[in-house]
Amino acid sequence: MYRETNFCIERIIFCVLMLISYYFNRLEAADTCNTSIFPSTFKFGAGTSAFQIEGGWNEDGKSRSSWDWLSNTYSIYLNNATGNVASDSYHQYKQDVASMVAMGLQNYKFSLSWSRILPKGLNYSINQAGVKYYHNLLDELEAAGIEPLVTIYHWDTPYALDLLGGWTNPKMVDYFVAYADIAFSLFGDRVKLWATINEPKSFCEGILSVLVNIFPELPIGTYEYLCGHYAILAHAKAYRLYKKKYQATQQGRVSLILNLSCNMGLTNSTADQEAAERKNLFEFGWFAHPIVYGDYPDIMQVVIANNSASQGFLISRLPKFTSSEKLLIKGAYDFIMVNTYTSYMVTMANYSNSPSYQNDLQTSTSQSSEWLSSGLSTLKVHPEGTRKVLKWISDTYSSPEIIITENGFSDNTAILNDTDRIRFINATLTNIRLSMCSDSVNVTGYFYWSLIDSMEWNNGYTVKFGLVQVDFDSENRTRTLKDSAYYYKNLIQTRLIIG
Ligand code: BGC
């Protein structure tokens, strides 16, 4: 009886919301921009990445990735966790799609595991079982009417290629392009949205805090920029390849994913405002300037050249693009994809004369004690930051189309009644809609991170971002929709932000 009454009330609320949504849609058609409702063309999705969810790390011909090696050799740096089973999506992709269907998801962002498709990293031997896995997943998505956004590389380098120097090896550009070529040719009839590479800053710079423990001799201050340089060239070459070889038949769109936090000056002083801008340029401009304007931001070129000289280097630690490379990289994007999570107050830091990206950046950050904490201490909640991030990108890069490819709230408990997550999504979407209506930013999609709880890199399984809970203690990694999944479902159906 109670359940039936509840069901009736839910249906009534749903109908009322649909009516309101219909009314606002009419207003939208009448050329107004209503801040409470998203247009029907706006893409709502959720994302995952291969290493974080698949497991099946050595099954059916897959070889080790850099993260399989790291987690099985030095799990001490990853909260004693490995990705060997992870969320078991290699076996449970059907359950994942069933969860998407249950929450009415329209778009799903996932990544391919390079070492599952090419166990040696190189294109001379393709692992058919790995290819079949992604065909199966795409079949399942197609049957459910869910549009994929596929990331070709989300940090899990084939270990074989790491032995050749990974992203600091100039040949990595060609290895990546050969792999991307295979991905386009195998899956491009069904994938119309491609991300070549996810967050180069994270695997070129962020990862160093782990790697220096293992390789104290790592040439910090050089590693970051070599890695970033070849990642930019690899992305651009793959983009050009797609345009030349696949665009006419496949009609897809390609870009790379960059991350940016909201960086605000600690005070209104010019020095603090400049420090915040400097951080934006070192963080996002490092990669966005080359693909939009054809070269690194001036400030990076000047600062790194000067610091390199004063440190005794004969040439700048920041590599230079040749003129033909500048032509290759400039304009190598169809739209901008950004991952954004939190905000920082920024001020200039004292300069320390040892080579490193952080010393070149030379800023220090803090977060407000008023912002809600989340499962990751570095990611305090400040949804207004998302609007500022969008405005900065739009102003700096001539109003491009922007898709938010990651944004999410984590906790440590995977609680099902996750009201903080619901509040986070609601407040973030409110700011995104304000950005679209009041700042005229061209945002066309939002992918919540993440679809399911998963292996959170060096935090192991202690941090949970999912809309769907995964029970990592159960053998079959049982999945249960959290309240936020139902909230998201309602939002996707009605397009309406409540409250
Ligand atoms: C990464 C994700 C990660 C998330 C939360 C992003 O930078 O792309 O793989 O799970 O941050 O830490």
Side-chain angles (χ1 to χ4, degrees), residues 150-184:
V150 174
T151 309
I152 297 173
Y153 173 79
H154 193 126
W155 307 357
D156 45 352
T157 310
Y159 188 58
L161 297 186
D162 256 356
L163 293 174
L164 295 178
W167 284 102
T168 59
N169 176 356
K171 289 301 290 174
M172 191 70 168
V173 176
D174 293 332
Y175 301 152
F176 177 78
V177 175
Y179 163 50
D181 193 359
I182 287 170
F184 294 145

PDB file of all heavy atoms in Angstrom, residues 150-184:
ATOM      1  N   VAL A 150      34.323   8.301 -27.158  1.00  0.00           N
ATOM      2  CA  VAL A 150      35.410   7.370 -26.865  1.00  0.00           C
ATOM      3  C   VAL A 150      36.749   8.095 -26.732  1.00  0.00           C
ATOM      4  O   VAL A 150      37.159   8.854 -27.606  1.00  0.00           O
ATOM      5  CB  VAL A 150      35.494   6.273 -27.949  1.00  0.00           C
ATOM      6  CG1 VAL A 150      36.719   5.392 -27.732  1.00  0.00           C
ATOM      7  CG2 VAL A 150      34.230   5.421 -27.915  1.00  0.00           C
ATOM      8  N   THR A 151      37.388   7.862 -25.586  1.00  0.00           N
ATOM      9  CA  THR A 151      38.738   8.390 -25.356  1.00  0.00           C
ATOM     10  C   THR A 151      39.729   7.315 -25.779  1.00  0.00           C
ATOM     11  O   THR A 151      39.657   6.176 -25.320  1.00  0.00           O
ATOM     12  CB  THR A 151      38.951   8.704 -23.857  1.00  0.00           C
ATOM     13  OG1 THR A 151      37.874   9.511 -23.397  1.00  0.00           O
ATOM     14  CG2 THR A 151      40.261   9.430 -23.629  1.00  0.00           C
ATOM     15  N   ILE A 152      40.653   7.688 -26.651  1.00  0.00           N
ATOM     16  CA  ILE A 152      41.591   6.682 -27.164  1.00  0.00           C
ATOM     17  C   ILE A 152      42.671   6.377 -26.124  1.00  0.00           C
ATOM     18  O   ILE A 152      43.114   5.240 -25.992  1.00  0.00           O
ATOM     19  CB  ILE A 152      42.197   7.178 -28.498  1.00  0.00           C
ATOM     20  CG1 ILE A 152      41.057   7.313 -29.526  1.00  0.00           C
ATOM     21  CG2 ILE A 152      43.277   6.228 -29.013  1.00  0.00           C
ATOM     22  CD1 ILE A 152      41.464   7.939 -30.837  1.00  0.00           C
ATOM     23  N   TYR A 153      43.052   7.376 -25.354  1.00  0.00           N
ATOM     24  CA  TYR A 153      44.110   7.159 -24.358  1.00  0.00           C
ATOM     25  C   TYR A 153      43.779   7.888 -23.057  1.00  0.00           C
ATOM     26  O   TYR A 153      43.698   9.120 -23.029  1.00  0.00           O
ATOM     27  CB  TYR A 153      45.453   7.673 -24.904  1.00  0.00           C
ATOM     28  CG  TYR A 153      46.559   7.631 -23.880  1.00  0.00           C
ATOM     29  CD1 TYR A 153      47.212   6.443 -23.585  1.00  0.00           C
ATOM     30  CD2 TYR A 153      46.951   8.779 -23.201  1.00  0.00           C
ATOM     31  CE1 TYR A 153      48.223   6.403 -22.627  1.00  0.00           C
ATOM     32  CE2 TYR A 153      47.957   8.751 -22.241  1.00  0.00           C
ATOM     33  CZ  TYR A 153      48.578   7.563 -21.969  1.00  0.00           C
ATOM     34  OH  TYR A 153      49.576   7.531 -21.016  1.00  0.00           O
ATOM     35  N   HIS A 154      43.588   7.117 -21.991  1.00  0.00           N
ATOM     36  CA  HIS A 154      43.331   7.706 -20.666  1.00  0.00           C
ATOM     37  C   HIS A 154      44.385   7.151 -19.696  1.00  0.00           C
ATOM     38  O   HIS A 154      44.087   6.356 -18.812  1.00  0.00           O
ATOM     39  CB  HIS A 154      41.907   7.383 -20.215  1.00  0.00           C
ATOM     40  CG  HIS A 154      41.421   8.176 -19.039  1.00  0.00           C
ATOM     41  ND1 HIS A 154      40.249   8.905 -19.047  1.00  0.00           N
ATOM     42  CD2 HIS A 154      41.935   8.351 -17.793  1.00  0.00           C
ATOM     43  CE1 HIS A 154      40.061   9.489 -17.874  1.00  0.00           C
ATOM     44  NE2 HIS A 154      41.079   9.156 -17.083  1.00  0.00           N
ATOM     45  N   TRP A 155      45.645   7.493 -19.947  1.00  0.00           N
ATOM     46  CA  TRP A 155      46.773   7.287 -19.026  1.00  0.00           C
ATOM     47  C   TRP A 155      47.398   5.892 -18.994  1.00  0.00           C
ATOM     48  O   TRP A 155      48.482   5.721 -18.435  1.00  0.00           O
ATOM     49  CB  TRP A 155      46.409   7.655 -17.578  1.00  0.00           C
ATOM     50  CG  TRP A 155      45.833   9.033 -17.413  1.00  0.00           C
ATOM     51  CD1 TRP A 155      45.653   9.993 -18.374  1.00  0.00           C
ATOM     52  CD2 TRP A 155      45.364   9.621 -16.191  1.00  0.00           C
ATOM     53  NE1 TRP A 155      45.099  11.120 -17.843  1.00  0.00           N
ATOM     54  CE2 TRP A 155      44.898  10.918 -16.497  1.00  0.00           C
ATOM     55  CE3 TRP A 155      45.287   9.168 -14.876  1.00  0.00           C
ATOM     56  CZ2 TRP A 155      44.369  11.778 -15.533  1.00  0.00           C
ATOM     57  CZ3 TRP A 155      44.748  10.022 -13.925  1.00  0.00           C
ATOM     58  CH2 TRP A 155      44.300  11.309 -14.249  1.00  0.00           C
ATOM     59  N   ASP A 156      46.720   4.856 -19.527  1.00  0.00           N
ATOM     60  CA  ASP A 156      47.249   3.505 -19.372  1.00  0.00           C
ATOM     61  C   ASP A 156      48.117   3.112 -20.581  1.00  0.00           C
ATOM     62  O   ASP A 156      47.681   2.361 -21.447  1.00  0.00           O
ATOM     63  CB  ASP A 156      46.127   2.485 -19.125  1.00  0.00           C
ATOM     64  CG  ASP A 156      44.929   2.683 -20.058  1.00  0.00           C
ATOM     65  OD1 ASP A 156      44.893   3.693 -20.800  1.00  0.00           O
ATOM     66  OD2 ASP A 156      44.033   1.817 -20.075  1.00  0.00           O
ATOM     67  N   THR A 157      49.341   3.605 -20.585  1.00  0.00           N
ATOM     68  CA  THR A 157      50.293   3.306 -21.659  1.00  0.00           C
ATOM     69  C   THR A 157      50.669   1.822 -21.640  1.00  0.00           C
ATOM     70  O   THR A 157      50.912   1.276 -20.556  1.00  0.00           O
ATOM     71  CB  THR A 157      51.600   4.100 -21.416  1.00  0.00           C
ATOM     72  OG1 THR A 157      51.263   5.459 -21.170  1.00  0.00           O
ATOM     73  CG2 THR A 157      52.551   4.006 -22.591  1.00  0.00           C
ATOM     74  N   PRO A 158      50.741   1.174 -22.814  1.00  0.00           N
ATOM     75  CA  PRO A 158      51.273  -0.203 -22.795  1.00  0.00           C
ATOM     76  C   PRO A 158      52.656  -0.192 -22.129  1.00  0.00           C
ATOM     77  O   PRO A 158      53.493   0.665 -22.461  1.00  0.00           O
ATOM     78  CB  PRO A 158      51.367  -0.562 -24.281  1.00  0.00           C
ATOM     79  CG  PRO A 158      50.364   0.311 -24.948  1.00  0.00           C
ATOM     80  CD  PRO A 158      50.349   1.598 -24.166  1.00  0.00           C
ATOM     81  N   TYR A 159      52.887  -1.118 -21.216  1.00  0.00           N
ATOM     82  CA  TYR A 159      54.165  -1.107 -20.492  1.00  0.00           C
ATOM     83  C   TYR A 159      55.332  -1.253 -21.463  1.00  0.00           C
ATOM     84  O   TYR A 159      56.407  -0.671 -21.260  1.00  0.00           O
ATOM     85  CB  TYR A 159      54.168  -2.232 -19.442  1.00  0.00           C
ATOM     86  CG  TYR A 159      55.364  -2.164 -18.535  1.00  0.00           C
ATOM     87  CD1 TYR A 159      55.613  -1.023 -17.789  1.00  0.00           C
ATOM     88  CD2 TYR A 159      56.255  -3.227 -18.451  1.00  0.00           C
ATOM     89  CE1 TYR A 159      56.718  -0.932 -16.971  1.00  0.00           C
ATOM     90  CE2 TYR A 159      57.366  -3.153 -17.624  1.00  0.00           C
ATOM     91  CZ  TYR A 159      57.587  -1.995 -16.888  1.00  0.00           C
ATOM     92  OH  TYR A 159      58.693  -1.917 -16.077  1.00  0.00           O
ATOM     93  N   ALA A 160      55.077  -2.003 -22.553  1.00  0.00           N
ATOM     94  CA  ALA A 160      56.124  -2.170 -23.576  1.00  0.00           C
ATOM     95  C   ALA A 160      56.619  -0.811 -24.066  1.00  0.00           C
ATOM     96  O   ALA A 160      57.820  -0.623 -24.290  1.00  0.00           O
ATOM     97  CB  ALA A 160      55.554  -2.974 -24.748  1.00  0.00           C
ATOM     98  N   LEU A 161      55.711   0.145 -24.215  1.00  0.00           N
ATOM     99  CA  LEU A 161      56.121   1.461 -24.711  1.00  0.00           C
ATOM    100  C   LEU A 161      56.762   2.310 -23.623  1.00  0.00           C
ATOM    101  O   LEU A 161      57.606   3.163 -23.902  1.00  0.00           O
ATOM    102  CB  LEU A 161      54.927   2.200 -25.325  1.00  0.00           C
ATOM    103  CG  LEU A 161      54.311   1.528 -26.554  1.00  0.00           C
ATOM    104  CD1 LEU A 161      53.231   2.404 -27.164  1.00  0.00           C
ATOM    105  CD2 LEU A 161      55.380   1.204 -27.603  1.00  0.00           C
ATOM    106  N   ASP A 162      56.379   2.060 -22.377  1.00  0.00           N
ATOM    107  CA  ASP A 162      57.060   2.758 -21.287  1.00  0.00           C
ATOM    108  C   ASP A 162      58.529   2.354 -21.236  1.00  0.00           C
ATOM    109  O   ASP A 162      59.395   3.156 -20.889  1.00  0.00           O
ATOM    110  CB  ASP A 162      56.386   2.436 -19.945  1.00  0.00           C
ATOM    111  CG  ASP A 162      55.529   3.604 -19.475  1.00  0.00           C
ATOM    112  OD1 ASP A 162      55.530   4.651 -20.148  1.00  0.00           O
ATOM    113  OD2 ASP A 162      54.854   3.473 -18.445  1.00  0.00           O
ATOM    114  N   LEU A 163      58.785   1.084 -21.595  1.00  0.00           N
ATOM    115  CA  LEU A 163      60.182   0.629 -21.605  1.00  0.00           C
ATOM    116  C   LEU A 163      60.990   1.366 -22.669  1.00  0.00           C
ATOM    117  O   LEU A 163      62.209   1.384 -22.627  1.00  0.00           O
ATOM    118  CB  LEU A 163      60.245  -0.887 -21.834  1.00  0.00           C
ATOM    119  CG  LEU A 163      59.676  -1.731 -20.690  1.00  0.00           C
ATOM    120  CD1 LEU A 163      59.650  -3.211 -21.056  1.00  0.00           C
ATOM    121  CD2 LEU A 163      60.490  -1.524 -19.405  1.00  0.00           C
ATOM    122  N   LEU A 164      60.291   1.952 -23.646  1.00  0.00           N
ATOM    123  CA  LEU A 164      60.987   2.750 -24.665  1.00  0.00           C
ATOM    124  C   LEU A 164      60.968   4.244 -24.326  1.00  0.00           C
ATOM    125  O   LEU A 164      61.233   5.081 -25.178  1.00  0.00           O
ATOM    126  CB  LEU A 164      60.314   2.549 -26.043  1.00  0.00           C
ATOM    127  CG  LEU A 164      60.383   1.148 -26.642  1.00  0.00           C
ATOM    128  CD1 LEU A 164      59.639   1.102 -27.978  1.00  0.00           C
ATOM    129  CD2 LEU A 164      61.834   0.736 -26.861  1.00  0.00           C
ATOM    130  N   GLY A 165      60.594   4.561 -23.104  1.00  0.00           N
ATOM    131  CA  GLY A 165      60.612   5.976 -22.704  1.00  0.00           C
ATOM    132  C   GLY A 165      59.242   6.619 -22.642  1.00  0.00           C
ATOM    133  O   GLY A 165      59.126   7.799 -22.314  1.00  0.00           O
ATOM    134  N   GLY A 166      58.202   5.866 -22.991  1.00  0.00           N
ATOM    135  CA  GLY A 166      56.835   6.406 -22.898  1.00  0.00           C
ATOM    136  C   GLY A 166      56.704   7.717 -23.655  1.00  0.00           C
ATOM    137  O   GLY A 166      57.226   7.883 -24.755  1.00  0.00           O
ATOM    138  N   TRP A 167      56.017   8.662 -23.062  1.00  0.00           N
ATOM    139  CA  TRP A 167      55.705   9.925 -23.748  1.00  0.00           C
ATOM    140  C   TRP A 167      56.922  10.847 -23.906  1.00  0.00           C
ATOM    141  O   TRP A 167      56.810  11.910 -24.529  1.00  0.00           O
ATOM    142  CB  TRP A 167      54.566  10.655 -23.037  1.00  0.00           C
ATOM    143  CG  TRP A 167      53.254  10.019 -23.336  1.00  0.00           C
ATOM    144  CD1 TRP A 167      52.542   9.188 -22.523  1.00  0.00           C
ATOM    145  CD2 TRP A 167      52.503  10.128 -24.560  1.00  0.00           C
ATOM    146  NE1 TRP A 167      51.390   8.776 -23.162  1.00  0.00           N
ATOM    147  CE2 TRP A 167      51.342   9.345 -24.413  1.00  0.00           C
ATOM    148  CE3 TRP A 167      52.696  10.814 -25.769  1.00  0.00           C
ATOM    149  CZ2 TRP A 167      50.373   9.220 -25.412  1.00  0.00           C
ATOM    150  CZ3 TRP A 167      51.733  10.697 -26.767  1.00  0.00           C
ATOM    151  CH2 TRP A 167      50.597   9.906 -26.583  1.00  0.00           C
ATOM    152  N   THR A 168      58.058  10.500 -23.319  1.00  0.00           N
ATOM    153  CA  THR A 168      59.237  11.344 -23.554  1.00  0.00           C
ATOM    154  C   THR A 168      59.997  10.887 -24.794  1.00  0.00           C
ATOM    155  O   THR A 168      60.971  11.520 -25.195  1.00  0.00           O
ATOM    156  CB  THR A 168      60.202  11.339 -22.337  1.00  0.00           C
ATOM    157  OG1 THR A 168      60.609   9.991 -22.095  1.00  0.00           O
ATOM    158  CG2 THR A 168      59.535  11.910 -21.106  1.00  0.00           C
ATOM    159  N   ASN A 169      59.558   9.807 -25.408  1.00  0.00           N
ATOM    160  CA  ASN A 169      60.181   9.303 -26.633  1.00  0.00           C
ATOM    161  C   ASN A 169      59.485   9.941 -27.851  1.00  0.00           C
ATOM    162  O   ASN A 169      58.274   9.772 -28.017  1.00  0.00           O
ATOM    163  CB  ASN A 169      60.018   7.778 -26.660  1.00  0.00           C
ATOM    164  CG  ASN A 169      60.548   7.149 -27.945  1.00  0.00           C
ATOM    165  OD1 ASN A 169      60.984   7.852 -28.867  1.00  0.00           O
ATOM    166  ND2 ASN A 169      60.498   5.830 -28.017  1.00  0.00           N
ATOM    167  N   PRO A 170      60.227  10.646 -28.714  1.00  0.00           N
ATOM    168  CA  PRO A 170      59.589  11.280 -29.884  1.00  0.00           C
ATOM    169  C   PRO A 170      58.826  10.289 -30.755  1.00  0.00           C
ATOM    170  O   PRO A 170      57.840  10.644 -31.398  1.00  0.00           O
ATOM    171  CB  PRO A 170      60.772  11.861 -30.663  1.00  0.00           C
ATOM    172  CG  PRO A 170      61.923  11.878 -29.729  1.00  0.00           C
ATOM    173  CD  PRO A 170      61.668  10.886 -28.646  1.00  0.00           C
ATOM    174  N   LYS A 171      59.248   9.014 -30.759  1.00  0.00           N
ATOM    175  CA  LYS A 171      58.565   8.006 -31.581  1.00  0.00           C
ATOM    176  C   LYS A 171      57.152   7.710 -31.072  1.00  0.00           C
ATOM    177  O   LYS A 171      56.335   7.118 -31.767  1.00  0.00           O
ATOM    178  CB  LYS A 171      59.374   6.687 -31.595  1.00  0.00           C
ATOM    179  CG  LYS A 171      60.656   6.725 -32.361  1.00  0.00           C
ATOM    180  CD  LYS A 171      60.459   7.073 -33.815  1.00  0.00           C
ATOM    181  CE  LYS A 171      59.789   5.980 -34.620  1.00  0.00           C
ATOM    182  NZ  LYS A 171      59.491   6.424 -35.995  1.00  0.00           N
ATOM    183  N   MET A 172      56.896   8.126 -29.837  1.00  0.00           N
ATOM    184  CA  MET A 172      55.565   7.880 -29.261  1.00  0.00           C
ATOM    185  C   MET A 172      54.479   8.526 -30.121  1.00  0.00           C
ATOM    186  O   MET A 172      53.349   8.047 -30.172  1.00  0.00           O
ATOM    187  CB  MET A 172      55.539   8.447 -27.833  1.00  0.00           C
ATOM    188  CG  MET A 172      54.352   8.033 -27.036  1.00  0.00           C
ATOM    189  SD  MET A 172      54.426   6.279 -26.619  1.00  0.00           S
ATOM    190  CE  MET A 172      53.107   6.195 -25.408  1.00  0.00           C
ATOM    191  N   VAL A 173      54.846   9.612 -30.796  1.00  0.00           N
ATOM    192  CA  VAL A 173      53.873  10.296 -31.664  1.00  0.00           C
ATOM    193  C   VAL A 173      53.363   9.310 -32.716  1.00  0.00           C
ATOM    194  O   VAL A 173      52.157   9.132 -32.901  1.00  0.00           O
ATOM    195  CB  VAL A 173      54.537  11.526 -32.341  1.00  0.00           C
ATOM    196  CG1 VAL A 173      53.573  12.180 -33.319  1.00  0.00           C
ATOM    197  CG2 VAL A 173      54.999  12.528 -31.280  1.00  0.00           C
ATOM    198  N   ASP A 174      54.280   8.636 -33.385  1.00  0.00           N
ATOM    199  CA  ASP A 174      53.868   7.697 -34.434  1.00  0.00           C
ATOM    200  C   ASP A 174      53.180   6.462 -33.853  1.00  0.00           C
ATOM    201  O   ASP A 174      52.239   5.935 -34.441  1.00  0.00           O
ATOM    202  CB  ASP A 174      55.083   7.266 -35.264  1.00  0.00           C
ATOM    203  CG  ASP A 174      55.634   8.439 -36.055  1.00  0.00           C
ATOM    204  OD1 ASP A 174      54.837   9.346 -36.388  1.00  0.00           O
ATOM    205  OD2 ASP A 174      56.849   8.478 -36.307  1.00  0.00           O
ATOM    206  N   TYR A 175      53.670   5.990 -32.709  1.00  0.00           N
ATOM    207  CA  TYR A 175      53.027   4.821 -32.091  1.00  0.00           C
ATOM    208  C   TYR A 175      51.567   5.155 -31.766  1.00  0.00           C
ATOM    209  O   TYR A 175      50.662   4.353 -31.975  1.00  0.00           O
ATOM    210  CB  TYR A 175      53.738   4.394 -30.805  1.00  0.00           C
ATOM    211  CG  TYR A 175      55.201   4.028 -30.969  1.00  0.00           C
ATOM    212  CD1 TYR A 175      56.101   4.191 -29.910  1.00  0.00           C
ATOM    213  CD2 TYR A 175      55.694   3.522 -32.178  1.00  0.00           C
ATOM    214  CE1 TYR A 175      57.433   3.858 -30.047  1.00  0.00           C
ATOM    215  CE2 TYR A 175      57.045   3.199 -32.314  1.00  0.00           C
ATOM    216  CZ  TYR A 175      57.910   3.379 -31.250  1.00  0.00           C
ATOM    217  OH  TYR A 175      59.227   3.058 -31.376  1.00  0.00           O
ATOM    218  N   PHE A 176      51.360   6.356 -31.233  1.00  0.00           N
ATOM    219  CA  PHE A 176      49.987   6.736 -30.869  1.00  0.00           C
ATOM    220  C   PHE A 176      49.116   6.877 -32.119  1.00  0.00           C
ATOM    221  O   PHE A 176      47.968   6.425 -32.143  1.00  0.00           O
ATOM    222  CB  PHE A 176      49.963   8.045 -30.063  1.00  0.00           C
ATOM    223  CG  PHE A 176      48.556   8.487 -29.745  1.00  0.00           C
ATOM    224  CD1 PHE A 176      47.836   7.888 -28.724  1.00  0.00           C
ATOM    225  CD2 PHE A 176      47.925   9.471 -30.505  1.00  0.00           C
ATOM    226  CE1 PHE A 176      46.518   8.256 -28.460  1.00  0.00           C
ATOM    227  CE2 PHE A 176      46.605   9.838 -30.249  1.00  0.00           C
ATOM    228  CZ  PHE A 176      45.904   9.231 -29.218  1.00  0.00           C
ATOM    229  N   VAL A 177      49.672   7.502 -33.150  1.00  0.00           N
ATOM    230  CA  VAL A 177      48.873   7.721 -34.367  1.00  0.00           C
ATOM    231  C   VAL A 177      48.490   6.371 -34.989  1.00  0.00           C
ATOM    232  O   VAL A 177      47.350   6.184 -35.448  1.00  0.00           O
ATOM    233  CB  VAL A 177      49.630   8.624 -35.363  1.00  0.00           C
ATOM    234  CG1 VAL A 177      48.873   8.746 -36.669  1.00  0.00           C
ATOM    235  CG2 VAL A 177      49.826  10.012 -34.749  1.00  0.00           C
ATOM    236  N   ALA A 178      49.415   5.404 -34.957  1.00  0.00           N
ATOM    237  CA  ALA A 178      49.106   4.080 -35.510  1.00  0.00           C
ATOM    238  C   ALA A 178      47.971   3.423 -34.702  1.00  0.00           C
ATOM    239  O   ALA A 178      47.065   2.792 -35.271  1.00  0.00           O
ATOM    240  CB  ALA A 178      50.352   3.203 -35.475  1.00  0.00           C
ATOM    241  N   TYR A 179      48.024   3.594 -33.405  1.00  0.00           N
ATOM    242  CA  TYR A 179      46.964   3.040 -32.530  1.00  0.00           C
ATOM    243  C   TYR A 179      45.634   3.761 -32.783  1.00  0.00           C
ATOM    244  O   TYR A 179      44.576   3.123 -32.937  1.00  0.00           O
ATOM    245  CB  TYR A 179      47.436   3.170 -31.071  1.00  0.00           C
ATOM    246  CG  TYR A 179      46.377   3.052 -30.002  1.00  0.00           C
ATOM    247  CD1 TYR A 179      45.469   1.996 -29.983  1.00  0.00           C
ATOM    248  CD2 TYR A 179      46.318   3.998 -28.966  1.00  0.00           C
ATOM    249  CE1 TYR A 179      44.512   1.900 -28.970  1.00  0.00           C
ATOM    250  CE2 TYR A 179      45.378   3.899 -27.959  1.00  0.00           C
ATOM    251  CZ  TYR A 179      44.467   2.857 -27.968  1.00  0.00           C
ATOM    252  OH  TYR A 179      43.534   2.770 -26.969  1.00  0.00           O
ATOM    253  N   ALA A 180      45.682   5.086 -32.886  1.00  0.00           N
ATOM    254  CA  ALA A 180      44.453   5.847 -33.133  1.00  0.00           C
ATOM    255  C   ALA A 180      43.853   5.456 -34.481  1.00  0.00           C
ATOM    256  O   ALA A 180      42.628   5.319 -34.623  1.00  0.00           O
ATOM    257  CB  ALA A 180      44.753   7.347 -33.096  1.00  0.00           C
ATOM    258  N   ASP A 181      44.717   5.233 -35.465  1.00  0.00           N
ATOM    259  CA  ASP A 181      44.263   4.820 -36.798  1.00  0.00           C
ATOM    260  C   ASP A 181      43.436   3.527 -36.687  1.00  0.00           C
ATOM    261  O   ASP A 181      42.350   3.395 -37.264  1.00  0.00           O
ATOM    262  CB  ASP A 181      45.514   4.600 -37.677  1.00  0.00           C
ATOM    263  CG  ASP A 181      45.172   4.482 -39.156  1.00  0.00           C
ATOM    264  OD1 ASP A 181      43.981   4.540 -39.505  1.00  0.00           O
ATOM    265  OD2 ASP A 181      46.116   4.327 -39.961  1.00  0.00           O
ATOM    266  N   ILE A 182      43.952   2.590 -35.903  1.00  0.00           N
ATOM    267  CA  ILE A 182      43.245   1.310 -35.712  1.00  0.00           C
ATOM    268  C   ILE A 182      41.902   1.555 -35.014  1.00  0.00           C
ATOM    269  O   ILE A 182      40.866   1.003 -35.411  1.00  0.00           O
ATOM    270  CB  ILE A 182      44.136   0.338 -34.915  1.00  0.00           C
ATOM    271  CG1 ILE A 182      45.252  -0.146 -35.833  1.00  0.00           C
ATOM    272  CG2 ILE A 182      43.340  -0.833 -34.362  1.00  0.00           C
ATOM    273  CD1 ILE A 182      46.341  -0.911 -35.131  1.00  0.00           C
ATOM    274  N   ALA A 183      41.916   2.409 -34.004  1.00  0.00           N
ATOM    275  CA  ALA A 183      40.661   2.703 -33.290  1.00  0.00           C
ATOM    276  C   ALA A 183      39.639   3.334 -34.240  1.00  0.00           C
ATOM    277  O   ALA A 183      38.478   2.920 -34.274  1.00  0.00           O
ATOM    278  CB  ALA A 183      40.938   3.636 -32.109  1.00  0.00           C
ATOM    279  N   PHE A 184      40.074   4.320 -35.030  1.00  0.00           N
ATOM    280  CA  PHE A 184      39.144   4.972 -35.972  1.00  0.00           C
ATOM    281  C   PHE A 184      38.593   3.938 -36.967  1.00  0.00           C
ATOM    282  O   PHE A 184      37.405   3.908 -37.256  1.00  0.00           O
ATOM    283  CB  PHE A 184      39.850   6.079 -36.770  1.00  0.00           C
ATOM    284  CG  PHE A 184      40.321   7.263 -35.953  1.00  0.00           C
ATOM    285  CD1 PHE A 184      41.510   7.933 -36.272  1.00  0.00           C
ATOM    286  CD2 PHE A 184      39.577   7.735 -34.876  1.00  0.00           C
ATOM    287  CE1 PHE A 184      41.945   9.030 -35.542  1.00  0.00           C
ATOM    288  CE2 PHE A 184      40.005   8.840 -34.132  1.00  0.00           C
ATOM    289  CZ  PHE A 184      41.199   9.488 -34.464  1.00  0.00           C
TER     290      PHE A 184
END
